[in-house]
Amino acid sequence: MSADTTPDTAPAPSGPPTSVSGWGRTAPSTARLLRPRSYEEAAAAVLACGARGTIARGLGRAYGDAAQNAGGAVLDMTGLDRIRTVDAEAGVVVCDAGVSLHRLMEVLLPLGWFVPVTPGTRYVTVGGAIGADIHGKNHHLSGSFARHVRELELLTADGTVRTVTPDTALFDATAGGMGLTGVILRATIQLLPVQTSLMTVDTERALDLDDLMVRLESGDHRYRYSVAWIDLLARGARTGRAVLTRGDHAPLDMLPPRAARTPLGFRPRRLPAAPSFLPEGLLGRASVSAFNELWYRRAPRHRTGELQRLSTFFHPLDGVPHWNRVYGRGGFVQYQFVVGYGQEEALRAIVRRISRHGCPSFLAVLKRFGDADPGWLSFPVPGWTLALDIPANLPGLGLLLDELDEQVAGAGGRVYLAKDARMRPELVERMYPRLARFRELRAELDPQGVFRSDMGRRLGL
């Protein structure tokens, strides 16, 4: 950590009470939404936030209540969206925290560089990517996003801006700390070199969960990216059947002549937005079961070397704006957990329980994680991670997820905070053994509790 600086204060931006929710739309709360346009405005807003405190917010893609603050202030950081410098030779970018991964791709791909880690959406800000320490299909090789951050500027509770570097306590608390150590203002990121904006993709079908795990274990080392869509409504001998998709950035010599004319072009396709109102129950067991059957049958048994757009491989749902509306007014819960290698029987038991309950999830993916990341509240540890979307109004869902939490914790695993909207606080310490250190640092750095969120209060972070 280098010398601290305190910016000159500017008038704090004001905003009316606004209903704010996560991407799952399950637990909205009301806060004053502020949109600073400079570091000075951000500092002024923090210093004047009031008794209920404040929390930073990016593009609102955390599924639960991590970027909400009932009765307090929420800092919309998307107004701080400048790309400061790009070193096109070394592959290093310095940018504000409100810059989205989508914008980075637009600017950097023509220069032959790609973001080092991307989740299932490119509409995440850099600050959100660090605060949640996001992971992608390449965790088994590249780790989480914060592992590629060389330096960040953090606005702390006293209005000071601190330069924070890896291998320090404050960096490890901030990476995955869900915005509770301060407001990330700027980051320096190491990028990944690429020759084209296309992917070369191999696809295969797995007959059941055991077949899938064998394929993942035996083949992931040959690919930079790996993910499996899994049918959680399949039962019996088909339980856990899946479509496994793995790939890497296509080299220039793989492109056909037409694509080779603009090898680094980035033109994501965009479909019409989902309607603002859809009837409840649209994604019921029958409709999702039919979708899953069709998706599995249409997938090739084995196909290699297919060229796909980046957006098709990484972010298929980004092509449908507001796709979260398809779950209706009740919203949905995304549940993601990880259990370590050696806990495969726990994974099997959880998949069987989800299947028996008939959870209508058409967005369910299984991946393998590599080495654990240094963030004290970072989610990934070596093991198997399963993520699924479930309509929030599914009968018995609360009890089911409470029971799954216990199974996950009993197997030494954890639930992903950036996806969580309902976990009980007594389980967090079991899942995140470095939580006590996180709390101690927060108490020292922010004794008045300036940085607060609905999630922080709910889980006692």
Side-chain angles (χ1 to χ4, degrees):
M1 196 182 304
S2 70
D4 304 339
T5 59
T6 303
D8 296 331
T9 57
S14 61
T18 303
S19 179
V20 180
S21 75
W23 192 244
R25 306 199 304 167
T26 55
S29 62
T30 300
R32 289 179 297 114
L33 194 61
L34 315 176
R35 195 167 189 258
R37 295 282 186 174
S38 67
Y39 297 170
E40 291 76 19
E41 285 189 1
V46 166
L47 292 173
C49 65
R52 291 289 288 181
T54 189
I55 194 71
R57 179 182 178 89
L59 288 165
R61 292 304 179 103
Y63 284 78
D65 51 2
Q68 301 171 209
N69 183 30
V74 171
L75 297 187
D76 176 353
M77 297 299 291
T78 57
L80 293 172
D81 59 355
R82 286 182 59 190
I83 296 177
R84 302 282 173 163
T85 63
V86 178
D87 185 334
E89 292 189 2
V92 176
V93 63
V94 180
C95 62
D96 288 346
V99 174
S100 69
L101 299 192
H102 174 83
R103 180 59 181 153
L104 286 182
M105 292 176 196
E106 286 184 321
V107 171
L108 299 171
L109 270 169
L111 303 176
W113 298 97
F114 189 63
V115 293
V117 171
T118 178
T121 175
R122 60 186 179 273
Y123 294 111
V124 205
T125 62
V126 166
I130 298 169
D133 201 11
I134 60 171
H135 58 272
K137 298 177 175 70
N138 59 340
H139 189 276
H140 63 286
L141 181 68
S142 302
S144 63
F145 191 89
R147 199 180 292 185
H148 306 272
V149 175
R150 290 185 169 187
E151 183 178 280
L152 61 86
E153 301 291 319
L154 185 72
L155 171 63
T156 51
D158 59 359
T160 298
V161 177
R162 305 180 183 226
T163 300
V164 186
T165 55
D167 301 319
T168 62
L170 186 51
F171 188 95
D172 291 345
T174 301
M178 307 308 296
L180 293 172
T181 62
V183 179
I184 299 167
L185 297 175
R186 183 188 299 184
T188 302
I189 305 162
Q190 180 66 57
L191 304 167
L192 177 71
V194 295
Q195 295 182 11
T196 75
S197 60
L198 294 175
M199 304 294 295
T200 175
V201 181
D202 295 351
T203 305
E204 57 191 285
R205 290 194 303 201
L207 300 175
D208 56 27
L209 182 59
D210 285 341
D211 182 33
L212 173 61
M213 288 193 289
V214 168
R215 291 170 187 261
L216 286 166
E217 280 189 298
S218 63
D220 268 5
H221 65 279
R222 299 195 301 268
Y223 299 88
R224 182 176 295 274
Y225 303 100
S226 175
V227 66
W229 169 88
I230 184 170
D231 183 358
L232 291 176
L233 286 176
R235 302 180 68 173
R238 303 181 304 160
T239 299
R241 67 177 180 176
V243 178
L244 174 56
T245 308
R246 295 184 284 202
D248 207 335
H249 298 276
L252 186 59
D253 59 14
M254 278 195 66
L255 268 57
R258 183 175 179 181
R261 293 180 202 142
T262 55
L264 292 165
F266 182 58
R267 296 175 296 277
R269 290 173 178 160
R270 200 165 174 84
L271 299 173
S276 59
F277 173 76
L278 287 167
E280 298 293 334
L282 181 66
L283 296 180
R285 291 189 182 99
S287 58
V288 173
S289 180
F291 170 86
N292 287 0
E293 182 70 28
L294 177 63
W295 191 262
Y296 182 78
R297 294 297 175 189
R298 286 187 61 187
R301 294 181 184 274
H302 186 78
R303 180 176 61 199
T304 61
E306 180 192 13
L307 290 176
Q308 290 185 5
R309 293 170 180 248
L310 283 169
S311 54
T312 301
F313 182 78
F314 288 111
H315 315 121
L317 287 174
D318 282 349
V320 184
H322 306 296
W323 63 263
N324 56 339
R325 294 174 181 170
V326 302
Y327 290 90
R329 295 188 188 278
F332 70 102
V333 172
Q334 178 155 118
Y335 186 71
Q336 183 169 3
F337 67 90
V338 59
V339 293
Y341 297 125
Q343 294 293 333
E344 286 75 17
E345 188 49 48
L347 177 62
R348 294 185 187 98
I350 291 171
V351 169
R352 287 194 296 266
R353 172 169 276 188
I354 294 170
S355 176
R356 286 197 304 269
H357 196 87
C359 291
S361 176
F362 72 95
L363 295 173
V365 295
L366 184 72
K367 298 187 295 247
R368 295 172 71 249
F369 280 158
D371 293 341
D373 297 294
W376 293 346
L377 299 187
S378 291
F379 170 64
V381 293
W384 304 93
T385 181
L386 177 65
L388 60 149
D389 289 353
I390 314 169
N393 59 6
L394 181 72
L397 179 61
L399 178 59
L400 171 68
L401 294 182
D402 284 346
E403 292 172 346
L404 294 184
D405 287 345
E406 290 288 352
Q407 282 186 273
V408 169
R414 60 183 55 165
V415 169
Y416 191 14
L417 296 180
K419 304 285 182 72
D420 180 57
R422 29 67 49 203
M423 186 167 57
R424 301 194 314 273
E426 59 267 25
L427 288 177
V428 179
E429 289 185 6
R430 291 170 60 188
M431 293 181 176
Y432 289 88
R434 292 180 287 185
L435 178 58
R437 295 179 67 189
F438 179 80
R439 288 170 172 161
E440 289 172 4
L441 185 143
R442 276 199 70 207
E444 177 184 344
L445 191 67
D446 183 10
Q448 302 303 314
V450 168
F451 295 110
R452 304 183 186 185
S453 68
D454 290 356
M455 168 175 278
R457 280 187 286 265
R458 175 170 59 84
L459 295 179
L461 302 179

